[in-house]
């Protein structure tokens, strides 16, 4: 019975399964507020609180508000709130690791849908060279610096209150996600101060670049996402891990060919067991595309929950169907 269940999981139609999960979670985190669902404000995804109908909120905004408290307050009684917030964030994160990006984040799902639209109208997507990839993938850490350090500078008086939640003001999710509930008010520039003009103008520019970039490159914004960087910092404590047995790898490149994030290591690295990288969104498409048994696997509590198999590869690629027809 267990063997039959494992075969069914390893042979699953991953595209269909992922599409269903993404649709359901998009509805949950964009419209869940209509049903009085409240999952708190410590979520490891871009569920933006500027969208009044969301069922939960991205952890980055309360984190910025907490870190911007005066130093004596932050290191005093408020430290309990900060520690509690981090623990709640980790509670959510530990169960899915970076699969939050690949399956749950509404901003990631929107990019996947835009990719499908681009394909349907015949627009070719571009790719990065490895040099460009390595440079661009570091930008997420610049944004994470803004998230973590700018509030601390406010707390010690080096930045004024107009810098409050600076990243959220430049984040395209603040502008785009409310649109799905009919709110276009975030497409505006705040003229209350020079800093507000700068930050909200950057927000509008980044929102425009999000749409343009998503029609040029798969998961365009995910390369620059500070939440993804934060995920990676804590990825080793998650109960789910992404592993590779390099001794069985033939370096055929099928995994790299389907990787939306262009992670070359997934194909070329045959020495590291832990193959998760900071740009990975744990969509598991590489596992589904691998034609070898047990080369790539998604583990829960160190137990292989989804692994590459020849049988699963053949079923997903339609090889079994072609074989059956050829035998007639």
């Amino acid at each position: 019975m267990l063997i039959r269940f494992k075969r069914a999981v390893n042979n699953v139609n991953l595209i269909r399964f992922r599409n269903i999960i993404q649709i359901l979670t998009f509805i949950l985190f964009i419209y869940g507020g209509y049903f009085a669902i409240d999952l708190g404000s410590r979520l490891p995804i871009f569920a933006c609180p500027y969208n009044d109908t969301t069922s939960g909120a991205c952890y980055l905004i309360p984190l910025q508000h907490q870190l911007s408290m005066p130093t004596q307050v932050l290191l005093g009684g408020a430290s309990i709130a900060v520690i509690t917030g981090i623990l709640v964030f980790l509670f959510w994160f530990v169960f899915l690791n970076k699969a939050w990006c690949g399956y749950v984040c509404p901003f990631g799902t929107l990019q996947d849908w835009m990719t499908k639209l681009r394909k349907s109208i015949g627009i070719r997507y571009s790719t990065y060279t490895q040099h460009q990839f390595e440079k661009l993938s570091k930008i997420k850490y610049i944004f994470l610096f803004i998230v973590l350090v700018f509030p601390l500078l406010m707390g010690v008086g080096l930045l004024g209150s107009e810098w409050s939640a600076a990243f959220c003001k430049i984040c395209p999710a603040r502008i785009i996600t409310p649109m799905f509930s009919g709110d276009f008010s975030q497409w505006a520039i705040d003229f209350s101060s020079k800093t507000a003009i700068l930050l909200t103008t950057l927000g509008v520019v980044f929102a425009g670049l999000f749409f343009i970039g998503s029609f040029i490159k798969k998961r365009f914004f995910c390369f620059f996402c500070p939440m993804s960087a934060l995920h990676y910092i804590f990825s080793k404590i998650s109960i789910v891990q992404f592993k590779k047995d390099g001794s069985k790898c033939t370096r055929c490149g099928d995994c790299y060919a389907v990787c939306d994030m262009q992670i070359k290591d997934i194909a070329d690295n045959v020495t590291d067991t832990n193959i998760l990288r900071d740009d990975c969104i744990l969509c598991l498409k590489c596992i589904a595309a691998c034609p070898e048994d047990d080369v790539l696997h998604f583990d829960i509590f160190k137990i292989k929950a989804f692994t590459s198999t020849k049988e699963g590869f053949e079923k997903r690629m339609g090889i079994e169907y072609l074989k059956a027809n050829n035998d007639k």
Side-chain angles (χ1 to χ4, degrees), residues 265-278:
D265 251 14
I266 188 64
D268 288 353
N269 192 319
V270 293
T271 57
D272 290 344
T273 302
N274 184 0
I275 204 68
L276 185 73
R277 297 295 180 261
D278 60 350

Side-chain angles (χ1 to χ4, degrees), residues 84-313:
T84 302
I86 292 173
L87 290 176
V88 173
F89 166 80
L90 292 177
F91 171 82
W92 285 110
F93 172 73
V94 74
F95 290 104
L96 287 178
N97 204 327
K98 287 171 72 68
W100 283 99
C101 305
Y103 286 79
V104 183
C105 180
F107 217 50
T109 295
L110 177 59
Q111 291 175 85
D112 288 337
W113 290 347
M114 291 180 69
T115 292
K116 290 177 183 177
L117 176 61
R118 174 189 55 74
K119 285 181 179 179
S120 68
I121 57 181
I123 299 176
R124 289 180 60 84
Y125 71 89
S126 64
T127 58
Y128 299 133
T129 66
Q130 190 61 22
H131 179 66
Q132 290 171 326
F133 174 86
E134 290 169 0
K135 275 192 168 182
L136 292 171
S137 64
K138 291 180 174 64
I139 293 177
K140 65 172 70 66
Y141 291 98
I142 296 174
F143 284 137
L144 185 60
F145 178 87
I146 293 172
V147 170
L148 298 177
V149 177
F150 276 35
L152 293 174
L153 294 177
M154 288 177 58
V156 297
L158 294 178
L159 288 177
S161 60
E162 67 271 17
W163 289 92
S164 177
F167 174 75
C168 291
K169 290 172 183 174
I170 67 176
C171 177
R174 171 184 67 84
I175 296 172
I176 295 169
T177 52
M179 292 168 52
F180 289 91
S181 57
D183 179 6
F184 292 82
S185 64
Q186 298 300 321
W187 285 92
I189 296 172
D190 182 354
F191 290 95
S192 62
S193 69
K194 290 181 180 178
T195 302
I197 292 172
L198 171 65
L199 294 176
T200 53
T201 298
L202 285 174
V204 171
V205 170
F206 288 156
L209 288 174
F210 170 85
F211 285 112
I212 295 170
S214 296
F215 270 93
I216 296 173
K217 182 73 187 72
K218 296 176 182 178
R219 287 277 182 151
F220 173 77
F221 180 74
C222 293
F223 280 97
F224 317 117
C225 177
M227 184 69 84
S228 176
L230 196 61
H231 284 180
Y232 186 64
I233 291 171
F234 293 108
S235 61
K236 289 185 179 178
I237 68 170
S238 176
I239 64 172
V240 303
Q241 298 292 328
F242 181 37
K243 302 291 186 178
K244 178 177 181 177
D245 184 349
S247 65
K248 300 177 182 178
C249 178
T250 61
R251 299 181 71 174
C252 65
D254 285 0
C255 52
Y256 176 68
V258 300
C259 180
D260 290 344
M261 303 304 292
Q262 281 189 236
I263 301 172
K264 203 170 184 183
D265 251 14
I266 188 64
D268 288 353
N269 192 319
V270 293
T271 57
D272 290 344
T273 302
N274 184 0
I275 204 68
L276 185 73
R277 297 295 180 261
D278 60 350
D279 288 301
C280 180
I281 58 173
L282 264 185
C283 62
L284 309 184
K285 288 167 66 174
C286 53
I287 297 179
C290 180
E292 305 297 335
D293 290 334
D294 291 325
V295 173
L296 297 169
H297 44 96
F298 175 75
D299 297 357
I300 302 177
F301 288 118
K302 298 185 178 181
I303 299 171
K304 294 176 183 177
F306 180 55
T307 186
S308 61
T309 63
K310 292 178 182 178
E311 181 185 23
F313 170 79

